[in-house]
Amino acid sequence: MRKHNTALTRFGRKVKGSYQSYGLGVKLAAVVILGLCFVFIWSVFSPPSYSVAYQRDTFDDIREPISSANKKKVTSLVPSTKKEQPHNKKLRHRSSSVEKKKSVDRSKSGSWHKNEKSGGVRKRKGEDLKLPKKVDEIKNQDLVGSEENEEEKMENDKQQEEKKVVENDSKQEEGGVDGKENEKEKTENGEEGVEGKENEKEETESDKEEGGEGTVDGNEGNGELANTDDLKVEDEDEKSRVDGKKKKNLGPLFDPNAHYTWNLCSTRSKHNYIPCIDFESASGKLQNYRHHERSCPRAPQMCLVPLPPDGYETPVSWPESKSKILYKNVAHPKLEAFVKKGSWIMESGEYLTFPTNQSIPKGGIQHYLDFIEEMAPDIEWGKNIRVVLDIGCKDSSFGASLLEKDVLALTLGLKDDLVDLAQVALERGFPAVVTPFGTRRFSFPSGVFDAIHCSDCRASWHSNGGKHLIEMNRILRPGGYFILSSKHNTIEVEEAMSTLTASICWNILADKTDEISDIRIKLFQKPQANDMYQMRRKKVPPLCKENENPDASWYVPIKSCLYTIPESIEQRGTEWPEEWPKRLETFPDWMNNREKLIADSEHWKAIVDNSYLVGLGIDWSKIRNVMDMKAINGGFAAALAQKKVWVMNVIPVHAPNTLPVIFERGLIGMYHDWCEAFGTYPRSYDLLHADHLFSRLKNRCKHPIVIVVEMDRILRPGGWGIIRDKVEILDPLGKILRSLHWEIRMTFTKDKEGILCAQKTMWRP
C-alpha cells in the first residue's frame, strides 16, 4: 500500500511540474501575441507624422537643431559628421529635393529683404558721370527685365516636374553614399573651409528670405548645390518652423556702418596666389606649391594679392596679344628658366613673343590640325566641332589656331603647371582655368564637349582603374571625339589604354604617326547608343544607377561607372547640335520654354547694344577676357558673340542647372561656389558682370565680402565691373569698392533696382 501511494505521489509531482512548464510557455506566447497586436493597431491608427518612415525622410532637425528653449533653429559653427551626411547626401549639382521644395515656398514670399518694408524708393545720383542719354532711354528694359525675373519664371514652370523629382529623391540612397565619401575625403585632407560650412548651414535661411528667385540647390553649400535627399514633408510643426524663419530679421548683406582696412597677402605664391589651389603658407619648407585637391583656407580670405615685383602695366590689347605680352605682368621664377629653353616663346626686351612659325608640334600647329581632319573626315573645325577641352596647358598654339577657325577651346592648367603657362595663355587672351585633377570631377555638366584634346598632358589615363578617362567619358558629348597625341609610350601603357578604351566602348577611328612631327595620334569616338554597353562580355566598369545625377560635379568624387546614353528626343544628348554659328540661336526640343529663351536673348542683346557698348564709358577695344559671374542661359555672352571677346559663364552652385544650355549654344562655362575662390590667376579678366549675384547669394557666405575680395583678385587693374542688383546691396557695395580705391564711373537706380559701373585701379595697400 505504501509503495502504491509513493508511486501516485511521484506521478502527481510529474504531472504538476509538466503543467507548470506548459503553463509558462502558454503565458509567454500570449504576451507575444498581445504585443504584436498592439504594434499592429498602433501603426494603423497612429498619426503619420510619428511614423518611422517620416522620421527617416526628414533631416531639417539634424541640419538645424531646434532649441528646447525657444523652438528656433540653432546653427552650429562646427557641424558634426552626423549633421553633414544628410546635407551632403547629394553633394552634386542639381540634386537637392529639399531645396526644390524651398523654391516653391519662396515663390509665395512677398518680399526679398526686410528693408524693403521701410517704404519709399531710394535713388542715388551718379558718382563721377551724369547718366548717359542712351542709358536713360532704355532704363525700363535695362533694370526691370533682369534675368532675376526670368529665373523665377523658369522655376515656376518647373514646379510640377520638381514635385515628381522630390518623390524620386526620397527613394534614393546612392546620393548619401556620395555625400559621405565626399565629407570623409574633405575631413581627412582638412579641406573643408569655414566658408563652405557656413554656406551649407545658412542656406535654408537664405532661401526663405529670397522669395524672388526660386532655385534648386544640389551641391555643397551652394547646393551646386547643398542638399538633403528628402522630402515629402507636410507636417504642421515643420510649417510653423518655416513660417517662423521667414519672419526672422537677417539684416543687410553688407554692414553699412563697417569700415574696411586692407593688407597684402603673405603667401608662398605671392603675386600669383590662387586660394583653394595654392598653399597659403609662406613657409619655404614645402616642396610643392599646390594642393593635390581643391582645399580652401579655413579663415575668410580678406587680404589683397600684391602686384608683380616689377610692377604691372596695362596688358597688350587683342589681337596683338596673340603674338606678344608684357613679361613683367606674368613674372614667375620658373617661367624665366622655361623661356630660356623654349623655342615657341622668346624674350624680346620687355615682352614675351610667340613666333608664328614656331610651335611644339614640328611642322606647325596648322599641319597638326589638318592631319587630324584627314584622319577623321567627320571632324570639321568651327562647324560641327565648336566647344573643345584642352587638357594641360603648353604653348597655347592649339587653342589659338582653333580660335581662328571659330572653335572655342578651354584650356585646363593642371595643378602641377608650376611654370604658370595657363597664366600666359590668359594674358594672351585665350580661355583657361586652373584645377587639380585628382579624385574629384571637373566642374562641368555631363555630355557637353564636342571634343577633348590631350597632347602629352601627363595624365595617367590607365591608372587607378581608369577613373580619369571615365571622367572624360562623362563630360564628352555622345559621339564626341577624344584626341590623344604623344611621342613615346611604353608597350605596357599602350596595352592598358587599349583595354580601357575597349571596356568603355570607345571606337578607335584612327591611329597614325605623323612623319613630319613624329607624333602618334589616336582618335577615339564615344558611342552614341547604349547597345554597345549591353554587348560587353564583362560589365566593367558597370553602368551607373539610374537615380544618379550625371551633372553632379562640385566636390563630387569621380565614379567608376558609365552613364547611359540618352535615347528619347526630349533628353539632352540625343542629337548633335547645329553647326556654328546657327547653333548660338538654336534651341532644341529638350530645352523647356524655348520662347522664353529667345526672349531672354533678345533682352540681353538690347541691353548690351544700347547700354553696355555705348553708355558706360568702357573702351571695348581693350576688353578681351570677360566673366559673367551669374550666367543663366548665356544671354549676356551670346549678345557679345560678335565682339572680339570670350566669356566665362559661371553658374553658381545653388542656381538652376542651366549650364548645359550654355554649352549647347556653343559657349563655355563652369559651376562655382562664390563663397570660395575661382580657379584662375590674379589679374585674369578685363570685365566682370554680376546680375543680381549678391542678392541671390544673400547670407550664403558667412562673410559675403569675400566675394568682393575675390573680384578684386581676378580683375586686372584698369578692368571693369558691371553690377546690377538691389539698391540696398549697391549702396554699401559702392562703399566697399571705394575702400579698395575702385573708381565708381556710373550709378543708376529705379524702383529699388540699380546698376553700378566701377573701374579697378593700380592701388595696393
Side-chain angles (χ1 to χ4, degrees):
M1 188 67 178
R2 289 181 179 178
K3 293 181 179 180
H4 180 70
N5 291 338
T6 302
L8 290 176
T9 302
R10 292 177 180 174
F11 178 78
R13 289 176 181 175
K14 291 182 179 180
V15 171
K16 183 178 181 180
S18 177
Y19 171 80
Q20 292 176 348
S21 175
Y22 283 110
L24 178 60
V26 171
K27 291 178 182 178
L28 290 176
V31 171
V32 171
I33 293 173
L34 289 174
L36 292 175
C37 292
F38 176 80
V39 171
F40 175 78
I41 295 172
W42 176 80
S43 62
V44 171
F45 294 98
S46 62
S49 59
Y50 297 97
S51 68
V52 176
Y54 169 78
Q55 294 176 10
R56 185 176 299 169
D57 289 342
T58 304
F59 297 101
D60 282 354
D61 57 337
I62 298 180
R63 289 181 63 191
E64 294 177 320
I66 302 177
S67 170
S68 59
N70 52 20
K71 299 295 181 183
K72 292 183 179 180
K73 294 180 181 178
V74 179
T75 302
S76 172
L77 292 178
V78 184
S80 65
T81 304
K82 181 179 179 181
K83 290 162 63 178
E84 287 296 328
Q85 285 176 354
H87 186 65
N88 288 329
K89 196 167 187 180
K90 281 180 189 270
L91 196 63
R92 307 187 293 273
H93 209 309
R94 303 5 247 176
S95 43
S96 167
S97 52
V98 71
E99 295 302 329
K100 293 178 180 178
K101 179 174 178 57
K102 292 172 188 173
S103 68
V104 179
D105 294 336
R106 286 196 300 270
S107 65
K108 301 176 182 178
S109 176
S111 64
W112 295 348
H113 302 290
K114 64 177 184 63
N115 9 8
E116 291 187 6
K117 298 179 181 179
S118 59
V121 178
R122 293 180 292 172
K123 296 186 178 181
R124 188 149 54 92
K125 297 181 180 180
E127 295 293 336
D128 297 303
L129 298 177
K130 294 183 178 179
L131 179 66
K133 183 178 180 181
K134 285 286 184 179
V135 178
D136 187 50
E137 292 175 354
I138 58 128
K139 59 186 178 181
N140 291 330
Q141 68 174 10
D142 194 13
L143 293 176
V144 177
S146 67
E147 283 193 3
E148 183 182 21
N149 297 328
E150 177 64 24
E151 189 173 355
E152 180 183 1
K153 295 177 182 177
M154 292 170 57
E155 285 306 312
N156 292 334
D157 292 336
K158 294 181 181 179
Q159 287 178 6
Q160 295 299 325
E161 179 181 355
E162 290 171 350
K163 290 180 180 179
K164 297 180 182 178
V165 177
V166 169
E167 296 177 358
N168 293 332
D169 284 345
S170 64
K171 302 177 182 178
Q172 294 178 2
E173 296 179 357
E174 181 65 21
V177 175
D178 294 339
K180 294 176 183 178
E181 292 176 354
N182 185 27
E183 182 66 25
K184 179 179 179 181
E185 180 183 11
K186 293 175 68 177
T187 303
E188 292 175 351
N189 297 329
E191 296 178 6
E192 182 171 36
V194 172
E195 295 303 325
K197 294 180 180 179
E198 293 300 330
N199 186 22
E200 293 175 351
K201 293 179 293 183
E202 296 181 358
E203 185 169 357
T204 301
E205 298 179 3
S206 174
D207 288 342
K208 301 298 186 298
E209 286 292 309
E210 298 170 356
E213 292 183 352
T215 63
V216 180
D217 290 358
N219 280 354
E220 167 194 16
N222 46 11
E224 191 302 78
L225 329 206
N227 307 324
T228 54
D229 192 72
D230 15 56
L231 298 166
K232 295 184 276 188
V233 179
E234 295 295 339
D235 181 53
E236 290 300 326
D237 293 336
E238 187 68 16
K239 290 182 179 179
S240 63
R241 285 167 52 191
V242 171
D243 293 339
K245 186 57 65 178
K246 284 183 180 179
K247 297 178 182 179
K248 182 177 179 180
N249 189 335
L250 296 177
L253 182 66
F254 300 113
D255 185 358
N257 299 319
H259 297 278
Y260 302 95
T261 57
W262 305 100
N263 298 310
L264 292 178
C265 298
S266 177
T267 60
R268 188 172 183 182
S269 300
K270 300 178 182 178
H271 58 283
N272 290 324
Y273 178 48
I274 308 177
C276 304
I277 293 179
D278 294 346
F279 287 117
E280 58 270 16
S281 173
S283 172
K285 296 181 181 180
L286 299 173
Q287 295 182 354
N288 297 324
Y289 278 85
R290 291 177 175 165
H291 297 285
H292 292 289
E293 297 287 359
R294 184 177 178 86
S295 176
C296 296
R298 295 186 178 276
Q301 191 70 25
M302 296 295 292
C303 61
L304 305 181
V305 176
L307 296 176
D310 295 331
Y312 185 86
E313 293 185 15
T314 303
V316 178
S317 300
W318 181 269
E320 189 179 1
S321 61
K322 290 193 294 184
S323 58
K324 71 175 184 179
I325 60 174
L326 285 166
Y327 196 169
K328 66 166 69 174
N329 288 359
V330 294
H332 188 278
K334 293 191 176 183
L335 181 60
E336 181 179 357
F338 185 84
V339 170
K340 293 179 180 179
K341 298 179 181 179
S343 60
W344 59 271
I345 180 172
M346 299 180 181
E347 183 178 1
S348 178
E350 61 178 348
Y351 297 100
L352 288 178
T353 60
F354 309 91
T356 55
N357 59 344
Q358 297 290 334
S359 63
I360 291 181
K362 188 177 180 181
I365 189 64
Q366 187 58 51
H367 170 75
Y368 178 77
L369 295 176
D370 292 341
F371 186 71
I372 293 175
E373 279 192 297
E374 292 176 3
M375 294 173 61
D378 290 340
I379 292 181
E380 296 182 272
W381 302 116
K383 293 183 179 180
N384 67 332
I385 304 298
R386 162 65 180 175
V387 183
V388 175
L389 183 67
D390 188 16
I391 305 292
C393 186
K394 291 193 175 181
D395 64 347
S396 303
S397 61
F398 180 77
S401 296
L402 286 180
L403 196 62
E404 297 177 356
K405 299 176 178 291
D406 279 337
V407 176
L408 199 54
L410 175 61
T411 298
L412 288 187
L414 304 181
K415 72 172 187 64
D416 56 354
D417 177 25
L418 296 181
V419 184
D420 284 350
L421 294 181
Q423 186 180 30
V424 173
L426 286 163
E427 189 73 12
R428 296 178 67 185
F430 302 133
V433 292
V434 181
T435 179
F437 192 18
T439 62
R440 295 179 187 152
R441 292 175 172 177
F442 287 139
S443 296
F444 303 116
S446 62
V448 291
F449 286 101
D450 304 331
I452 299 176
H453 175 254
C454 168
S455 176
D456 285 327
C457 55
R458 301 179 183 178
S460 300
W461 300 113
H462 61 285
S463 63
N464 197 20
K467 281 191 173 183
H468 286 173
L469 198 66
I470 293 175
E471 173 63 1
M472 297 298 100
N473 184 79
R474 182 185 73 88
I475 63 177
L476 190 62
R477 183 181 299 279
Y481 303 92
F482 183 80
I483 305 167
L484 181 65
S485 64
S486 60
K487 283 194 174 183
H488 305 288
N489 271 335
T490 63
I491 297 178
E492 292 77 8
V493 172
E494 292 290 342
E495 291 179 350
M497 277 295 295
S498 177
T499 302
L500 179 59
T501 53
S503 69
I504 61 177
C505 301
W506 280 11
N507 180 28
I508 182 166
L509 300 179
D511 183 358
K512 294 183 180 179
T513 300
D514 180 31
E515 296 179 356
I516 297 178
S517 62
D518 193 28
I519 294 178
R520 183 180 180 182
I521 301 177
K522 289 186 176 182
L523 213 162
F524 301 91
Q525 187 176 29
K526 180 179 176 179
Q528 303 181 60
N530 292 311
D531 54 352
M532 298 293 294
Y533 294 150
Q534 304 300 332
M535 294 171 60
R536 294 181 301 168
R537 292 183 179 180
K538 294 183 179 180
K539 303 298 189 292
V540 179
L543 296 180
C544 300
K545 295 183 178 180
E546 293 183 359
N547 57 11
E548 291 181 1
N549 184 2
D551 291 343
S553 58
W554 187 248
Y555 280 106
V556 175
I558 298 175
K559 301 180 71 66
S560 297
C561 63
L562 304 176
Y563 288 98
T564 56
I565 307 297
E567 296 177 338
S568 173
I569 192 172
E570 292 82 11
Q571 293 179 291
R572 174 173 62 89
T574 55
E575 296 181 349
W576 196 271
E578 295 284 348
E579 291 187 355
W580 183 263
K582 185 179 179 180
R583 175 175 180 173
L584 183 65
E585 301 299 338
T586 301
F587 304 99
D589 293 334
W590 61 265
M591 294 186 186
N592 295 327
N593 303 319
R594 284 188 288 176
E595 294 76 11
K596 291 185 178 180
L597 292 174
I598 295 173
D600 177 72
S601 295
E602 294 175 350
H603 163 75
W604 279 109
K605 189 177 188 307
I607 290 178
V608 170
D609 291 345
N610 300 327
S611 178
Y612 288 3
L613 296 181
V614 297
L616 301 182
I618 299 175
D619 183 359
W620 285 87
S621 65
K622 297 182 179 179
I623 304 297
R624 172 61 184 170
N625 302 352
V626 179
M627 175 184 285
D628 192 355
M629 299 178 68
K630 184 178 172 289
I632 298 182
N633 298 315
F636 171 71
L640 291 172
Q642 301 304 318
K643 303 294 294 183
K644 298 183 182 301
V645 302
W646 67 272
V647 180
M648 172 60 72
N649 295 278
V650 179
I651 298 298
V653 291
H654 57 79
N657 183 18
T658 55
L659 192 51
V661 175
I662 291 173
F663 274 96
E664 191 76 11
R665 302 182 69 178
L667 307 171
I668 59 174
M670 296 184 72
Y671 299 127
H672 184 64
D673 178 2
W674 281 115
C675 294
E676 300 181 6
F678 191 78
T680 191
Y681 294 91
R683 306 170 299 277
S684 293
Y685 288 90
D686 301 304
L687 187 143
L688 302 178
H689 181 254
D691 179 31
H692 290 83
L693 170 70
F694 292 95
S695 57
R696 184 61 193 88
L697 290 174
K698 182 172 181 178
N699 288 336
R700 291 185 180 275
C701 308
K702 182 178 180 181
H703 303 282
I705 193 173
V706 299
I707 305 175
V708 186
V709 175
E710 177 64 4
M711 293 175 66
D712 184 84
R713 186 185 73 88
I714 66 179
L715 188 63
R716 292 170 173 169
W720 293 79
I722 303 175
I723 305 167
R724 304 158 58 88
D725 222 306
K726 304 177 185 301
V727 172
E728 63 186 45
I729 299 290
L730 296 181
D731 284 342
L733 180 59
K735 180 180 178 181
I736 298 173
L737 294 179
R738 291 187 188 91
S739 72
L740 291 167
H741 291 245
W742 285 33
E743 296 180 357
I744 309 298
R745 296 299 187 182
M746 190 276 289
T747 60
F748 174 72
T749 63
K750 182 180 184 296
D751 297 334
K752 298 183 180 181
E753 299 285 335
I755 180 172
L756 183 152
C757 183
Q759 187 176 23
K760 179 182 173 180
T761 65
M762 292 281 185
W763 178 83
R764 294 288 91 174

